[in-house]
Amino acid sequence: MKNSTVALTLSLFPGLGFIYSGKVIRGLFYLFATSVPIILSFLLAITSQDGAFLAFSVIGVFFYIISFIDMVIQNTKQKAIFVENEKGEKSQEAERFYTILLSFIPGLGHFQLGMMNRGLTLLASFLGLGIMIIFVTTLTGREEFLVFLAAIPAIWVYGFFDAVQQFNKKSRGETLIDRSIFEDFETRREDGKKSKSIATFLSIFPGVGHLYLGLQRRGIQLMAAFLFSIYILDILRLGIFLFLIPIIWFYSFFDGLQKASRYGKEELEDTPVISNFINHQKWVGIGLLLLGLYYLVGNIFIPALSPILMDIINIDLYYWFNRYFQTTIVCVLLIGGGIKLLMGSKKRV
């Protein structure tokens, strides 16, 4: 009899699970019923036929779900899954199967193993993060927040393999400790030290790894620079400066890796990225003042005066403002910065 766990894993690719189990005809049917509509939908997407693309995509996904459910039903019908051993307990094969099956939803596999706290942490993180991101995106109308959905597959993969690891511990006779993921991280620290692995993982988002290591000023500056750059470039539509965002991200990420590797070996100094920030407060204040004036003019004065000027002199002030004002600001800043650098180089000579 074929291994039900292997068959279920192979069924993630439609048809392979049935072919492995010896049901070749059914496997080939699901293989073609799923892959052909998906290939057609891809070809239709290239030709920009959106309606047909959506229809074939739905058909392919439908047969994929049906094939997976069919494999689950076939496995549950196997007598080996329900056979009990001499002590009246479920067989190890049955528990392995149900643990892996339930682990496709983070946390449920841990519930099967009796680890309620650990499973609840994963389930709440998985569902809570997804719901919160969708809620914020819907509330603000900003699709940029959907980029944080990339964390959901990471939680899913971690939860799946953690459930398998916990089952392997149980099968070896080890005692399972029901504690949350966060408690597990805390217990791995020695003498209250921070975890280098967690710091490295948190460094994926600029500044968070530094904050975890206690580098507050450096972390806040990196986080503010990253988020503020995205916000300003989006508001002012400065696509030419989008290269600054990956530069800030890579700098923050590798700086976080260096700080994490040096943690515990030497004392880390919370040196801000922009030193002597107090000496630059005047320029920061001027920048905030100009940004506030820009919003005041662009969102209040221009929309209010545009209809009046349109009736008087037949000029759409709102159109000219949106079309040329931002470009003019960028040009002035670039020219001013270039003149400043040229004057500075002459003084040094």
Side-chain angles (χ1 to χ4, degrees):
M1 182 175 294
K2 299 293 185 179
N3 189 300
S4 59
T5 303
V6 176
L8 183 64
T9 304
L10 290 176
S11 64
L12 292 175
F13 192 89
L16 291 188
F18 290 100
I19 295 175
Y20 169 79
S21 301
K23 301 176 182 179
V24 180
I25 297 178
R26 182 177 293 187
L28 292 176
F29 169 76
Y30 283 123
L31 177 62
F32 286 103
T34 304
S35 59
V36 171
I38 292 178
I39 294 174
L40 289 176
S41 65
F42 176 75
L43 296 176
L44 292 173
I46 297 177
T47 59
S48 300
Q49 299 183 18
D50 297 335
F53 159 74
L54 181 60
F56 280 103
S57 298
V58 171
I59 293 174
V61 173
F62 173 76
F63 277 107
Y64 178 81
I65 295 175
I66 292 299
S67 67
F68 190 80
I69 295 176
D70 190 14
M71 174 55 65
V72 173
I73 295 175
Q74 294 299 321
N75 283 335
T76 55
K77 289 181 179 179
Q78 295 181 12
K79 294 181 180 180
I81 296 179
F82 297 97
V83 171
E84 296 184 352
N85 57 22
E86 297 178 355
K87 297 181 180 180
E89 300 175 351
K90 287 186 177 180
S91 64
Q92 187 175 1
E93 176 68 18
E95 189 172 12
R96 179 191 296 273
F97 171 77
Y98 283 117
T99 300
I100 294 178
L101 176 63
L102 293 174
S103 295
F104 282 95
I105 299 179
L108 297 188
H110 296 81
F111 292 161
Q112 169 69 18
L113 297 173
M115 306 179 70
M116 305 303 294
N117 292 331
R118 197 175 189 86
L120 186 61
T121 302
L122 288 168
L123 184 62
S125 301
F126 182 77
L127 297 179
L129 180 62
I131 293 173
M132 181 57 64
I133 292 174
I134 295 175
F135 173 76
V136 173
T137 303
T138 305
L139 183 65
T140 60
R142 309 291 297 184
E143 297 181 356
E144 292 83 356
F145 287 105
L146 293 177
V147 70
F148 294 103
L149 289 175
I152 292 181
I155 298 176
W156 185 89
V157 172
Y158 181 87
F160 183 85
F161 285 100
D162 184 71
V164 175
Q165 184 181 19
Q166 296 299 327
F167 174 80
N168 292 333
K169 288 182 179 180
K170 184 177 181 179
S171 63
R172 292 194 299 265
E174 300 180 14
T175 303
L176 299 182
I177 302 176
D178 184 17
R179 58 191 176 200
S180 66
I181 302 297
F182 306 106
E183 292 175 346
D184 197 16
F185 287 148
E186 291 294 328
T187 55
R188 293 178 182 177
R189 299 191 307 180
E190 300 177 357
D191 301 329
K193 294 182 179 180
K194 303 292 184 180
S195 172
K196 295 183 179 181
S197 300
I198 299 177
T200 302
F201 176 76
L202 293 177
S203 296
I204 295 176
F205 193 91
V208 179
H210 297 79
L211 294 176
Y212 175 77
L213 294 174
L215 307 176
Q216 306 296 327
R217 291 185 294 177
R218 194 174 187 86
I220 290 176
Q221 284 192 2
L222 288 170
M223 184 183 298
F226 180 73
L227 297 177
F228 193 70
S229 298
I230 296 176
Y231 179 74
I232 291 298
L233 295 180
D234 178 60
I235 292 297
L236 298 181
R237 292 179 293 182
L238 303 178
I240 191 175
F241 294 108
L242 285 177
F243 68 91
L244 294 175
I245 295 177
I247 290 178
I248 296 174
W249 186 90
F250 279 109
Y251 176 83
S252 176
F253 180 72
F254 286 104
D255 186 69
L257 294 183
Q258 291 181 355
K259 298 298 183 184
S261 63
R262 290 161 51 190
Y263 181 78
K265 299 179 181 178
E266 59 183 78
E267 184 178 356
L268 299 181
E269 296 182 3
D270 188 11
T271 305
V273 179
I274 302 177
S275 58
N276 299 324
F277 180 75
I278 298 178
N279 298 332
H280 301 283
Q281 284 186 348
K282 177 181 178 181
W283 293 104
V284 174
I286 293 175
L288 294 176
L289 179 62
L290 294 176
L291 187 61
L293 291 175
Y294 171 79
Y295 270 103
L296 183 65
V297 173
N299 295 330
I300 297 178
F301 290 157
I302 298 298
L305 295 176
S306 181
I308 299 175
L309 294 178
M310 188 67 179
D311 295 335
I312 297 176
I313 57 178
N314 197 25
I315 294 179
D316 190 355
L317 181 62
Y318 191 74
Y319 167 78
W320 288 98
F321 178 82
N322 288 332
R323 186 69 177 83
Y324 296 106
F325 184 74
Q326 295 175 355
T327 305
T328 303
I329 292 178
V330 176
C331 294
V332 171
L333 291 176
L334 292 176
I335 294 173
I339 294 175
K340 178 68 175 178
L341 293 175
L342 290 175
M343 294 178 62
S345 62
K346 289 182 179 180
K347 291 181 180 180
R348 291 181 180 179
V349 175

